[in-house]
């Protein structure tokens, strides 16, 4: 009887359902400032690709980078995929529709608060607690803060991977390429000194490396 | 160290020679003790390995006896089943074909009676003797005196009446012949019927005779098994090996079927129990699909047991017939329901695939591909059909499984006997090696002592020679 109860207890312990431990959390920041808003079609392409790669229990959010990006209001669409396949597909289609609406409206902002958006992404993903946290920054990485906004904040990016996508060269970068390189280096230092990993993908034909 | 050994005298060669002499002397004086030690050690090891070999051989013999008993018991049981089945068939033949022998006999008697009656009716009736004989006699008795005037008239009348009588007689004869032919024609189907009945009876009797020959053969083999004759054991052993490999092959095929079945239902199971939940490191959906397949196989086993096709669970076979039949229906119903569930899941799988394809197409921006082809119902129907049929097909796994389990006992026994035999041989070889190694080491020990040994042998010869000379003198 005792051994039977032990076996039953073991079965109960084993049968405690756990979620898949390898779920992914992706937060994508889309720059909507100035001329970069013209690139939004490419952002939509990346969003769709990412959606197709995500599986059950994965989290995905798309947010815009505007004047003040450290806000939930800037989140365009967000989902945590259900573990039932039909529901998951429905969620993906709904998400794609929401992004389509965002792309159609293509709002433009005067300033570019990338740091605020990154802070929001870190907060969101930490709250969701996925096994792998990835932040896509679809921007030229040129931060332009409005007066009064303070963004000299230390990040805790331990366990995060920050991927800069489609970092376009500005007109001034063409005049002095050091500006572009310095910009990239600054962001890389910022991320790596905070414990995160940094990658840049400019060739959008090679999206297989994205996730 | 070497320099120390070579530096005991100013001359290294002398030092080495001194050491060699010292070593040889030591070895020579320790020789009897060393020889005894080596011999004792080698003999001990030899005896230990010999004892181990004997023990293993004994175990092997015990196992062989046990295996033989198991084999004979299995063979006896199998033969009993075969003979029982043959008797069942005879019983069935007798019940089905010869049970109505009385009616058959009655039918035959009736047919024969009818034929006899018809035959009697068809006997050829001789025509009536001609009436004119009496008339001639009457004419002949007429006296001459009476004249024979009226004779001509009389004869003419006779002739007329004769012709008339002949016509009537022929008519009657023809009628009678016609009737006889009709009767004979009526007899033909009766003859055929009798022939058919007799043919059928003959076939049944031949079948029974054939079965009796088979039973005789099986009974002879059964007797051989009961007597435990070697050739019976040999036949059973080789049969077991054949059964083992054949059933293993069929089981592999069945496992392939189960895997296909699993792939059909594992994906849609995610819709029911979730696609990411884990139990003990495995996906809950996979485990659920596996459980369904296992339950189906179990139900198949119980069904086969209830039908008395297999005998893996004696409890089921020993159940009263009423309970057994009830169990057949229950297991079949469960199997049918599970097969229906599988068919539904297979359909669900197809829907999921379409849904995923449509979503992927949408995400790629390829909207045209989202429209489904008109012939897709064929794959859907095929999947549903497979989902429904495979559980029933897996039911028959019980038969090779039973054969596999039964033959595995013999195969494992044979393997164990082979292993023990090899082990025994190894022990014997090692024991003998130890023994001869002792002899070799003794000889190697004496090798550096060849000078003192030669000297000792020479001294002995001299002393023996002196003794002889003394005796002679």
């Amino acid at each position: 009887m005792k051994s039977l109860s032990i076996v039953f207890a073991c079965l109960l312990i084993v049968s405690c359902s756990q979620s898949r431990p390898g779920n992914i959390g992706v937060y994508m920041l889309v720059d909507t400032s100035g001329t970069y808003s013209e690139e939004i079609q490419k952002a939509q392409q990346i969003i769709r690709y990412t959606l197709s790669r995500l599986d059950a229990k994965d989290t995905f959010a798309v947010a815009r980078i505007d004047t003040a990006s450290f806000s939930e209001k800037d989140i365009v669409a967000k989902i945590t995929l259900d573990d039932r396949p039909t529901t998951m597909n429905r969620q993906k289609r709904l998400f794609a529709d929401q992004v389509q609406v965002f792309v159609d409206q293509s709002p433009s902002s005067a300033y570019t608060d990338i740091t605020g958006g990154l802070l929001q992404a870190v907060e969101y993903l930490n709250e969701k607690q996925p096994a792998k946290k990835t932040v896509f920054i679809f921007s030229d990485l040129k931060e332009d803060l409005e007066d009064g906004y303070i963004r000299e904040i230390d990040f805790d990016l331990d366990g995060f991977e920050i991927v800069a996508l489609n970092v376009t060269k500005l007109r001034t970068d063409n005049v002095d390429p050091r500006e572009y390189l310095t910009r990239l280096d600054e962001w890389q230092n910022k991320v790596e000194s905070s414990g995160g990993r940094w990658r840049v993908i400019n060739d959008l034909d090679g999206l297989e490396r994205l996730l | 160290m070497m320099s120390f050994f070579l530096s005991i005298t100013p001359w290294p060669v002398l030092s080495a020679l001194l050491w060699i002499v010292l070593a040889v002397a030591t070895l020579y004086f320790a020789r009897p003790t060393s020889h005894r030690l080596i011999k004792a050690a080698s003999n001990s090891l030899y005896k230990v390995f010999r004892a181990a070999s004997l023990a293993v051989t004994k175990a092997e013999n015990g196992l062989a006896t046990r295996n033989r008993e198991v084999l004979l018991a299995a063979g006896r049981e199998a033969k009993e089943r075969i003979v029982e089945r043959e008797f069942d068939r005879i019983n069935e033949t007798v019940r089905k074909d010869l049970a109505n022998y009385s009616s058959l006999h009655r039918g035959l008697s009736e047919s024969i009676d009818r034929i006899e009656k018809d035959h009697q009716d068809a006997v050829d009736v001789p025509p009536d003797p001609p009436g004119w004989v009496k008339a001639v006699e009457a004419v002949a008795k007429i006296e001459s005196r009476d004249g024979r005037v009226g004779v001509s008239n009389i004869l003419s009348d006779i002739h007329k009446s004769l012709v008339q009588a002949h016509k009537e007689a022929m008519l009657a004869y023809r009628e009678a012949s016609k009737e006889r032919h009709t009767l004979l024609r009526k007899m033909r189907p009766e003859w055929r019927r009798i022939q058919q009945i007799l043919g059928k009876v003959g076939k049944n009797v031949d079948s029974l005779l054939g079965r009796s020959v088979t039973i005789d053969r099986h009974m002879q083999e059964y007797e051989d098994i009961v007597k435990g004759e070697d050739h019976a054991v040999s036949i059973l052993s080789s049969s077991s090996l054949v059964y083992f490999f054949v059933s293993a092959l069929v089981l592999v095929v069945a496992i392939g079927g189960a895997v296909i079945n699993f792939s059909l239902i594992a994906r849609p199971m995610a819709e029911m129990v979730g696609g990411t939940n884990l139990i003990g490191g495995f996906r809950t959906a996979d485990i659920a699909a596996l459980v369904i397949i296992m339950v189906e196989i179990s139900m198949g086993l119980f069904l086969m047991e209830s039908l008395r096709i297999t005998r893996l669970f004696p409890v089921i076979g020993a159940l009263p017939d009423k309970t057994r039949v009830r169990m057949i229906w229950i297991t079949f119903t469960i199997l049918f329901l599970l097969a229906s569930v599988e068919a539904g899941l297979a359909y669900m799988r197809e829907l999921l695939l379409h849904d995923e394809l449509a979503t992927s197409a949408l995400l790629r921006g390829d909207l045209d591909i989202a429209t489904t082809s008109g012939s897709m119902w064929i794959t859907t129907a095929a999947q549903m059909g497979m989902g429904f049929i495979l559980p029933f097909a897996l039911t028959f796994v019980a038969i090779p499984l039973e054969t596999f389990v039964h033959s595995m006992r013999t195969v494992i026994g044979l393997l164990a006997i082979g292993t023990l035999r090899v082990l025994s041989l190894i022990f014997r070889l090692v024991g003998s090696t130890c023994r001869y190694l002792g002899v070799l080491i003794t000889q190697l020990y004496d090798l550096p002592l060849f000078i003192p040994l030669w000297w000792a042998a020479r001294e002995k010869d001299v002393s023996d020679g002196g003794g002889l000379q003394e005796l002679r003198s």
Side-chain angles (χ1 to χ4, degrees), chain A residues 11 14-21 45 47-49 51-52 55-57 83-90 92-93 96-97, chain B residues 267-268 270-281 284 348 351-352 354-360 362-366:
Chain A
L11 273 173
V14 167
S15 63
C16 285
S17 297
Q18 318 159 322
S19 290
R20 187 166 60 97
Q45 187 190 338
I47 290 165
R48 282 181 165 174
Y49 176 77
L51 262 183
S52 68
D55 209 345
K57 295 287 178 192
D83 61 350
R84 283 169 299 172
T86 48
T87 314
M88 187 171 71
N89 287 328
R90 205 163 45 243
K92 283 183 179 181
R93 287 197 290 266
D97 289 345
Chain B
R267 195 187 181 101
E271 196 62 28
M272 290 161 71
V273 295
T276 53
N277 293 332
L278 301 174
I279 296 177
T284 311
M348 187 71 199
L351 288 184
L352 280 175
H354 280 298
D355 194 34
E356 279 180 20
L357 275 174
T359 308
S360 301
L362 183 79
L363 293 177
R364 282 198 309 271
D366 188 5

Side-chain angles (χ1 to χ4, degrees), chain B residues 109-159:
Chain B
S109 299
E110 283 170 2
S111 291
I112 288 166
D113 286 345
R114 276 196 293 274
I115 288 169
E116 202 173 334
K117 188 171 170 297
D118 288 344
H119 183 257
Q120 280 201 342
D121 291 344
V123 169
D124 197 6
V125 183
D128 290 335
W132 54 271
V133 179
K134 285 180 181 176
V136 169
E137 281 175 1
V139 169
K141 281 175 185 173
I142 295 170
E143 293 296 328
S144 56
R145 65 176 179 274
D146 293 339
R148 300 194 180 191
V149 181
V151 171
S152 171
N153 294 333
I154 290 166
L155 284 174
S156 174
D157 288 344
I158 286 169
H159 176 253

Side-chain angles (χ1 to χ4, degrees), chain A residues 31-40 42-43 46 112 114 137-143 164-174 176-177 179-184 187 198 200-204:
Chain A
D31 194 344
T32 56
S33 62
T35 53
Y36 200 84
S37 60
E38 292 167 10
E39 303 280 329
I40 202 155
K42 289 180 186 173
I46 292 168
T112 313
I114 301 174
I137 305 176
F138 188 80
S139 166
D140 53 14
L141 297 180
K142 176 80 175 170
E143 193 156 45
L165 296 164
N166 194 39
V167 186
T168 52
K169 282 92 181 173
L170 303 172
R171 197 170 296 154
T172 50
D173 295 339
N174 217 354
D176 182 4
E179 268 190 37
Y180 176 77
L181 295 172
T182 308
R183 203 161 65 240
L184 282 178
W187 272 104
W198 173 258
V200 178
I201 299 176
N202 279 330
D203 180 14
L204 295 184

Side-chain angles (χ1 to χ4, degrees), chain B residues 1 27 29 34 36 39 88 98 123 130 146 153 165 168 252 260 285 287 308 310 318 339 360 389 395 410 434:
Chain B
M1 190 72 177
L27 286 171
F29 288 118
S34 301
R36 276 198 301 276
K39 198 175 176 184
D88 280 348
L98 299 181
V123 169
D146 293 339
N153 294 333
E168 284 173 3
V252 167
I260 296 290
I287 291 173
R308 285 186 178 160
T310 56
S360 301
I389 290 166
T395 302
T410 313
C434 288

